[in-house]
Amino acid sequence: MYNLKTKISIITLLFLVVLSYAQNPVLENMSDVSTLPDVEFYDILEDDTNYIWLAADKGLFRYNGKSYQRYSHPNQKANSLFQLKEDNDGKLWCNNIYGQLFYVEDDQLNLFYDASDLVKGQLAAYTVLDQYIRLFTTTGIYDIHKNTKKVTKVFDGWCISNANSLGSNYIFIINKEQQLEKHRVYKLEGDSTVKILDVDNVGRIQSPRLYAFKNEVFLTHKSNKGNIIYLIHKSDDTSVKLQTPHQLKNQIIYNLLNLDGKYWFLTTEGVFIYEFRNEGFIFKEQLFPTEAITDVEKDFNNNYWFATLDNGVFVSPNLNIRHVALAPTKSKITASCALDNNQFVLGTNDGKLLFYDQLQRFKTLQLPGQKIIGNLFYDAQNQQLIVSINASESYVVNLKNDKITDAINKFSVAKAISKLNDTLLFYGNYKEGIVYNNPYHSKEKSILRSSRVKASVVSHGKLLVSYIDGLFQYDLNGFSSTEIQFQGHSLIVNAMSNSSTAIWLATQHNGLMTFENQILSKASIQLPDDVLINAIQSDGDDLWISADTGLFRYNTVTKTLQSLNAQDGLNTAVNNFHVLKDVIVVSLPQALYLLPKDERLFKTFNTSKIEIEAVQINDRDTIVQSQYNLPYYLNKIGLRFNSNGFQSNKQVNYHYRVQQLDSSWQKVPLNTNAVNFNSLASGTYEVEIKAQNVSAEDAVFAMPLTFVIAKPFWETYWFYALVLVTIFGLVWLYFRWRLQQKEEQRISEIDKILIDKKITNLRLENLRSQMNPHFIFNALNSIQDYIVSNEKELASSYLVKFSRLIRKYLDYSQQNEITLEEELNALKLYLELEKVRFEDELEYHITVDNLLNTNQIKVPSLFIQPYVENALKHGLLHKSGYRNLTVEAKVVQQNKLQITVEDNGIGREQSEKLKRPNQHRPFATKANEERVHLYKNKLKRDITIEIDDLHDESHTASGTRVVIIMPI
């Protein structure tokens, strides 16, 4: 046992200085959670749509829960803007030191009036009335009409400050009377002006400010003796000089507000909060003493926004949750324990015991050496504090006299300690559970079970111990044990707490359970699905549950569950906490949270109205409206929306639904405020969007947006009708065409039959002409002459040729076309026979181009012979002397066959003269012309015949040339 004076250091005032701490409400610095655009702010205001407006040195900014938007005007003479006000129409106003008055409309900053000639370089106060802007300047008070901008002076005097309340203006005026400056407060109401207060002061007073509230108006100003405060009763316009609280005596007062029924003085040393009773200020507390606070705004979710002159903006989600930060030190809190009433003790990693009464540390004890304190247990009956070290050491502190006794390893590495009765104490560590008899004075012990202990609790004469491998119940008389199982399986319990009716168990796999009257059952508490319980403590009808996401309170009578999380300012995982008489203490390694147990702790959260910020159609922004009628190709829709509020991007869940696609609500990922629909089919879509704060009960709904996407033209009824008409038309045209084709085919077949018949007739006429009586007579006569002359061989040869020619004629007359070779062979036979007739006074030549394949080229049958016959009969027959006939076949342009029949006869003109009057054109020539006409028009075979008269140099007829051209 150590000597108290030599071994124990009780550090009082000196240690309090070393381990000094700062306590303030929980807060979030906006520069830590967003890109704050400035550090110097003058005013802050929440408008009726829950936007937060900030007037700063760098301009005017609007915060929507995730980002800032800056508002400026091209004619703005300075960036700095001041005195944010919202009128009855929801329009925001502000001004600058140059006298420029601005308002925000249609999402832009507009210049209302430039009053630089009136303000003379001083920041002038102003008030927004129904029809006017009232401007308070050093040259007087002016009304500026909102519509006409007409300026009317309503009061003459040096106006320093004003306050407006329910249509009445309270103004601080400096009047000069007989070279003396009189400081007065007037009440300006309608057209009447009433003097309320004369301020007695030697010399000009400094920084006069008026503040009007429901029942009171306060005037503050500086004097040589410090700040002076006057009270003006609004009911009777009487005034009284108040006693200035000593905390405010020498402060620079930036603003005075009434929040939560208390008066808040905003100063260079934070916020001083007072109650005002019986014409006196009663000090309550000081907040943020290191900050120069210029304005405070309480938003729709009861978050407090603080604007500062040099440290940006910070937000306190809950003024009632206090954060106590230890000064920079190597000490860390490693254990904690509740004492009596609102007292508790903290153990550190360097062997210190820190004793607190709520936020006030009243004692510090130092253990011998640098010990890591792992666990603390308070025996209230004996006022003994058991200190378990995370090694083979432990101590007992007698809190009656602060005596520290070395308990060696009796309570070392404790996992759970429970007092069973006046003499017995249960102690569990990492390897076994032990019961000590008279633990402070004896070493007598009993080992209950060799297994790592997790938690223990005593209730109704029973000890419940949670081991790493199961939950066991012991009878305190003989310590007989029974394992408590759930559905035949062992229970792993991480934390336990007993109430007046049941024992609460936080299990590893079965959630929260109750053990009541020896019956184990699952608790009906509906905790969020992702909650893992760290610790539980019962407090009367309330069960407190800690988790990584915060702290929960469940009322066992009303069956209601409330939560505290990062949105409330409890931005930490809660492991160790203790329920005291009036407060709850949450300990962290280097800080504490103190939470009041009353209803001030829990807020009712609301969700701001959701606004559709942008609509994109095919990735292009468009005007936001309730309905869109779009063509089929504008079917990519994007929506961006937002619900305003502090960190709404982290605290608001969005859902959307499109009934035409899915009747269920679809969740938008947290910190996302946009949805996209790609390639919507044609149809009508109504998009519904709702937002809900994660801690709010009800959701808010945005205005539904309707998108009517037209069908593509190929899906419209008129297109279907057109297609059907087209199909029917095509079918009709097809059948009509088929009928016409069949009719044309029938007519063609008939024409072909007729043509064939006519061609046959023509061929017969040809044949008849070629076998005319003259030719046959001459041929037979020649044969007779050969026989008479006894020229048997010539007669026989001639007869053979004649018979062969007749056979060919008869054979070829049955065919429409024959080969060129066959045609020329027949022609050659004919000429040989005719040569005899001319008594060998006829020369003929048949020449064929080597490029011609006469065996494959087809020509109309017996087509050339009539022209050869004409040449002989009409051209050469009447010519005396040398008679010559040439027939030439060759290839000419475009793969055509040219046959030329040329004679050196008397010509067509002389031949016509020799004709008898009643002699007609030869049948063969006429038949050939009809055949050519039929080939050309009916059979689409282009045959041309050209007959030329030949003349010599003296223009005397020298023959005839017939040129026949036909396609090969």
Side-chain angles (χ1 to χ4, degrees):
M1 188 177 298
Y2 293 92
N3 184 281
L4 184 63
K5 293 183 179 179
T6 59
K7 299 296 182 180
I8 302 176
S9 296
I10 303 178
I11 305 173
T12 55
L13 181 62
L14 179 62
F15 191 79
L16 291 176
V17 173
V18 175
L19 277 180
S20 62
Y21 58 87
Q23 54 170 300
N24 274 311
V26 289
L27 60 87
E28 292 276 1
N29 197 312
M30 292 301 291
S31 61
D32 295 333
V33 300
S34 61
T35 307
L36 197 63
D38 203 348
V39 295
E40 185 175 343
F41 291 89
Y42 310 121
D43 289 277
I44 186 167
L45 181 143
E46 182 188 41
D47 66 18
D48 58 355
T49 57
N50 305 127
Y51 284 109
I52 295 295
W53 294 87
L54 302 168
D57 180 58
K58 294 181 180 178
L60 179 65
F61 300 91
R62 189 184 72 178
Y63 175 70
N64 65 357
K66 62 181 184 296
S67 60
Y68 300 88
Q69 180 178 349
R70 185 174 184 269
Y71 289 79
S72 63
H73 192 274
N75 297 327
Q76 190 174 335
K77 294 180 179 179
N79 288 329
S80 302
L81 293 172
F82 306 86
Q83 301 188 84
L84 298 177
K85 300 180 188 294
E86 186 179 18
D87 64 18
N88 295 331
D89 298 326
K91 189 182 296 184
L92 188 83
W93 295 79
C94 58
N95 69 342
N96 60 20
I97 60 174
Y98 292 94
Q100 290 179 305
L101 287 161
F102 300 93
Y103 66 92
V104 177
E105 191 173 54
D106 297 330
D107 205 33
Q108 61 183 3
L109 188 66
N110 300 282
L111 176 62
F112 170 71
Y113 190 80
D114 190 337
S116 55
D117 293 340
L118 302 178
V119 303
K120 306 298 183 183
Q122 300 294 322
L123 181 62
Y126 70 95
T127 297
V128 182
L129 305 177
D130 290 338
Q131 300 294 328
Y132 299 92
I133 301 297
R134 180 161 289 178
L135 190 63
F136 303 87
T137 74
T138 56
T139 61
I141 301 175
Y142 301 89
D143 280 351
I144 307 172
H145 197 278
K146 286 184 177 180
N147 295 328
T148 64
K149 311 294 177 64
K150 180 181 179 181
V151 179
T152 304
K153 191 171 188 179
V154 297
F155 190 87
D156 190 13
W158 189 351
C159 182
I160 303 299
S161 178
N162 90 292
N164 184 53
S165 176
L166 301 176
S168 299
N169 282 119
Y170 295 86
I171 54 177
F172 184 88
I173 298 292
I174 298 178
N175 296 128
K176 284 193 175 183
E177 295 180 2
Q178 298 177 356
Q179 297 183 348
L180 295 176
E181 291 185 347
K182 299 292 184 178
H183 306 96
R184 293 168 177 157
V185 176
Y186 291 87
K187 179 180 178 181
L188 198 62
E189 192 171 32
D191 296 331
S192 65
T193 303
V194 180
K195 184 178 72 173
I196 295 177
L197 173 64
D198 272 309
V199 181
D200 296 328
N201 195 70
V202 178
R204 181 176 297 176
I205 65 176
Q206 300 178 26
S207 305
R209 296 288 300 272
L210 282 165
Y211 307 96
F213 301 100
K214 182 179 180 181
N215 299 313
E216 302 94 10
V217 177
F218 293 101
L219 168 66
T220 66
H221 70 84
K222 262 192 174 302
S223 70
N224 295 332
K225 297 179 180 179
N227 286 319
I228 306 297
I229 302 177
Y230 287 89
L231 166 66
I232 300 173
H233 295 282
K234 293 177 66 177
S235 58
D236 56 7
D237 292 337
T238 59
S239 60
V240 61
K241 185 176 182 180
L242 303 178
Q243 182 178 352
T244 303
H246 69 88
Q247 299 93 343
L248 300 176
K249 201 69 178 176
N250 298 304
Q251 295 292 333
I252 297 176
I253 300 174
Y254 294 121
N255 207 343
L256 174 59
L257 305 173
N258 187 289
L259 294 173
D260 307 322
K262 298 181 177 64
Y263 285 101
W264 292 37
F265 287 86
L266 313 185
T267 72
T268 51
E269 293 185 7
V271 180
F272 292 88
I273 301 177
Y274 296 87
E275 285 186 355
F276 186 69
R277 292 199 302 266
N278 301 322
E279 297 185 350
F281 289 105
I282 302 170
F283 178 72
K284 302 304 294 182
E285 63 179 331
Q286 181 185 5
L287 303 179
F288 313 114
T290 61
E291 303 292 346
I293 309 294
T294 57
D295 200 7
V296 178
E297 181 76 4
K298 185 179 179 181
D299 69 16
F300 73 106
N301 267 332
N302 294 322
N303 298 306
Y304 291 80
W305 296 71
F306 296 84
T308 71
L309 269 184
D310 52 12
N311 196 25
V313 175
F314 51 87
V315 180
S316 176
N318 194 328
L319 292 178
N320 299 301
I321 299 178
R322 297 304 170 94
H323 180 262
V324 182
L326 301 179
T329 175
K330 294 181 179 180
S331 298
K332 291 185 179 180
I333 299 171
T334 54
S336 60
C337 178
L339 302 176
D340 296 325
N341 296 322
N342 290 318
Q343 295 183 350
F344 60 95
V345 60
L346 305 176
T348 68
N349 62 344
D350 54 0
K352 295 183 179 66
L353 294 171
L354 312 178
F355 292 85
Y356 284 84
D357 188 346
Q358 292 199 27
L359 293 176
Q360 300 301 319
R361 189 191 308 172
F362 63 89
K363 181 169 60 179
T364 301
L365 299 180
Q366 175 69 57
L367 298 177
Q370 301 289 315
K371 313 294 183 182
I372 299 177
I373 300 174
N375 206 338
L376 295 170
F377 175 78
Y378 176 56
D379 183 351
Q381 181 180 357
N382 298 305
Q383 294 192 32
Q384 301 290 323
L385 180 67
I386 297 175
V387 182
S388 176
I389 307 300
N390 284 346
S392 298
E393 295 180 86
S394 60
Y395 297 89
V396 176
V397 180
N398 188 336
L399 297 184
K400 298 175 183 177
N401 54 17
D402 296 333
K403 182 180 179 180
I404 301 176
T405 301
D406 189 353
I408 312 176
N409 64 349
K410 181 181 284 189
F411 306 107
S412 63
V413 198
K415 301 300 179 184
I417 301 176
S418 296
K419 187 168 183 177
L420 306 183
N421 53 38
D422 293 343
T423 59
L424 298 178
L425 184 77
F426 172 78
Y427 154 71
N429 58 29
Y430 66 96
K431 64 177 182 177
E432 58 192 3
I434 300 171
V435 173
Y436 286 111
N437 187 14
N438 196 7
Y440 307 118
H441 305 290
S442 171
K443 296 183 179 180
E444 182 183 349
K445 67 178 182 179
S446 299
I447 298 177
L448 298 183
R449 192 168 185 271
S450 294
S451 181
R452 185 185 182 95
V453 176
K454 295 173 71 69
S456 65
V457 71
V458 179
S459 177
H460 298 90
K462 304 289 184 179
L463 170 66
L464 265 70
V465 180
S466 169
Y467 296 96
I468 197 171
D469 56 354
L471 176 65
F472 289 82
Q473 179 179 254
Y474 296 91
D475 191 306
L476 295 185
N477 293 324
F479 289 99
S480 59
S481 65
T482 304
E483 184 179 6
I484 300 172
Q485 294 184 333
F486 181 66
Q487 297 177 349
H489 298 282
S490 297
L491 277 177
I492 307 300
V493 179
N494 298 322
M496 294 189 290
S497 181
N498 65 318
S499 65
S500 58
T501 58
I503 298 175
W504 294 87
L505 310 173
T507 68
Q508 181 74 27
H509 305 293
N510 297 286
L512 195 63
M513 306 187 75
T514 59
F515 185 63
E516 184 176 2
N517 298 325
Q518 300 300 306
I519 298 175
L520 187 66
S521 60
K522 285 193 173 185
S524 59
I525 304 176
Q526 297 296 322
L527 291 171
D529 295 336
D530 57 345
V531 168
L532 295 177
I533 299 174
N534 295 327
I536 54 176
Q537 287 197 37
S538 180
D539 181 32
D541 294 333
D542 294 328
L543 178 68
W544 295 87
I545 305 167
S546 71
D548 288 348
T549 57
L551 190 65
F552 298 87
R553 182 178 74 176
Y554 177 72
N555 189 281
T556 58
V557 177
T558 62
K559 310 298 183 183
T560 55
L561 181 69
Q562 295 173 291
S563 65
L564 292 172
N565 49 43
Q567 193 171 195
D568 298 273
L570 197 63
N571 193 13
T572 182
V574 179
N575 291 309
N576 297 318
F577 75 98
H578 299 283
V579 181
L580 306 181
K581 179 183 178 182
D582 299 315
V583 296
I584 295 173
V585 178
V586 177
S587 61
L588 302 176
Q590 287 190 321
L592 299 173
Y593 286 95
L594 258 72
L595 293 69
K597 288 168 57 176
D598 55 33
E599 292 304 319
R600 295 177 301 160
L601 180 60
F602 296 96
K603 299 194 304 182
T604 300
F605 284 92
N606 300 300
T607 307
S608 179
K609 177 183 176 182
I610 184 171
E611 178 184 358
I612 306 298
E613 293 184 331
V615 176
Q616 285 190 331
I617 299 175
N618 282 19
D619 298 322
R620 297 186 64 179
D621 286 333
T622 186
I623 298 174
V624 178
Q625 56 193 43
S626 61
Q627 180 166 330
Y628 297 84
N629 295 302
L630 305 173
Y632 72 92
Y633 53 86
L634 296 180
N635 61 347
K636 182 181 180 183
I637 309 298
L639 305 178
R640 191 171 71 247
F641 40 82
N642 188 62
S643 176
N644 295 328
F646 174 57
Q647 287 190 290
S648 63
N649 59 325
K650 298 180 181 179
Q651 308 297 346
V652 175
N653 285 321
Y654 298 99
H655 293 78
Y656 71 91
R657 179 174 67 179
V658 182
Q659 291 275 13
Q660 293 77 7
L661 299 178
D662 190 347
S663 59
S664 61
W665 287 94
Q666 305 297 315
K667 185 176 182 180
V668 179
L670 195 62
N671 204 16
T672 302
N673 64 335
V675 293
N676 293 287
F677 304 95
N678 295 320
S679 301
L680 288 174
S682 58
T684 300
Y685 302 91
E686 184 177 79
V687 182
E688 301 173 85
I689 301 173
K690 69 177 181 178
Q692 185 173 9
N693 188 290
V694 293
S695 300
E697 294 183 0
D698 301 319
V700 296
F701 294 82
M703 173 188 66
L705 298 181
T706 302
F707 296 90
V708 180
I709 300 177
K711 292 182 179 181
F713 68 89
W714 58 83
E715 293 182 4
T716 56
Y717 291 115
W718 66 264
F719 183 77
Y720 292 152
L722 180 62
V723 169
L724 290 175
V725 170
T726 303
I727 292 174
F728 284 127
L730 291 175
V731 170
W732 181 78
L733 290 175
Y734 172 76
F735 281 107
R736 182 181 177 186
W737 172 74
R738 288 292 296 164
L739 290 174
Q740 288 180 345
Q741 193 177 42
K742 287 184 178 181
E743 181 67 18
E744 289 176 358
Q745 185 176 359
R746 186 181 67 84
I747 295 173
S748 176
E749 289 176 354
I750 294 173
D751 287 345
K752 187 176 181 182
I753 293 172
L754 295 175
I755 291 171
D756 288 343
K757 183 178 180 181
K758 194 165 186 177
I759 289 176
T760 302
N761 292 333
L762 293 173
R763 286 201 306 270
L764 292 175
E765 290 182 3
N766 242 353
L767 179 61
R768 188 176 69 215
S769 67
Q770 292 163 5
M771 297 177 66
N772 62 72
H774 295 285
F775 172 70
I776 295 173
F777 175 79
N778 291 336
L780 292 177
N781 192 35
S782 297
I783 293 172
Q784 183 182 5
D785 288 343
Y786 287 138
I787 293 173
V788 171
S789 302
N790 201 21
E791 294 180 7
K792 296 179 181 180
E793 290 182 4
L794 289 175
S796 176
S797 174
Y798 194 94
L799 182 62
V800 169
K801 289 180 181 179
F802 177 71
S803 63
R804 285 174 60 192
L805 179 62
I806 297 302
R807 188 183 303 113
K808 284 183 184 290
Y809 281 170
L810 294 174
D811 186 21
Y812 294 161
S813 66
Q814 304 300 317
Q815 302 179 44
N816 287 333
E817 291 182 330
I818 59 175
T819 64
L820 179 61
E821 183 178 12
E822 291 172 333
E823 178 79 9
L824 294 177
N825 287 337
L827 185 62
K828 187 175 182 182
L829 279 175
Y830 171 73
L831 288 173
E832 287 181 356
L833 293 176
E834 286 286 11
K835 185 174 182 181
V836 174
R837 177 185 172 193
F838 281 85
E839 298 177 354
D840 291 330
E841 291 183 359
L842 171 67
E843 290 291 334
Y844 69 90
H845 302 279
I846 299 176
T847 59
V848 180
D849 192 343
N850 293 331
L851 297 177
L852 290 174
N853 189 346
T854 57
N855 288 324
Q856 294 182 354
I857 297 173
K858 294 283 189 177
V859 296
S861 62
L862 305 176
F863 194 76
I864 305 173
Q865 190 271 340
Y867 301 102
V868 173
E869 180 187 352
N870 284 342
L872 295 174
K873 184 177 179 180
H874 301 289
L876 297 175
L877 181 62
H878 302 289
K879 179 178 174 62
S880 58
Y882 175 69
R883 300 181 180 94
N884 184 43
L885 175 69
T886 59
V887 178
E888 182 184 15
K890 65 179 180 179
V891 178
V892 292
Q893 57 182 358
Q894 298 179 347
N895 200 25
K896 290 185 178 182
L897 172 65
Q898 178 179 302
I899 298 172
T900 305
V901 178
E902 185 176 336
D903 65 77
N904 63 345
I906 62 174
R908 288 189 297 172
E909 183 178 352
Q910 188 63 31
S911 176
E912 287 291 329
K913 293 178 180 180
L914 296 175
K915 277 186 181 182
R916 295 188 297 271
N918 58 348
Q919 188 175 355
H920 300 285
R921 292 179 65 190
F923 285 119
T925 303
K926 184 178 180 182
N928 260 9
E929 288 178 356
E930 291 189 24
R931 288 176 73 187
V932 169
H933 176 76
L934 288 173
Y935 274 109
K936 185 178 291 187
N937 296 305
K938 299 294 183 180
L939 302 179
K940 306 303 180 184
R941 188 169 181 181
D942 188 17
I943 299 176
T944 61
I945 299 174
E946 183 178 346
I947 302 175
D948 297 324
D949 294 318
L950 303 178
H951 299 83
D952 57 16
E953 294 179 355
S954 60
H955 302 288
T956 302
S958 61
T960 305
R961 180 189 298 130
V962 179
V963 179
I964 304 170
I965 298 176
M966 64 181 70
I968 295 177

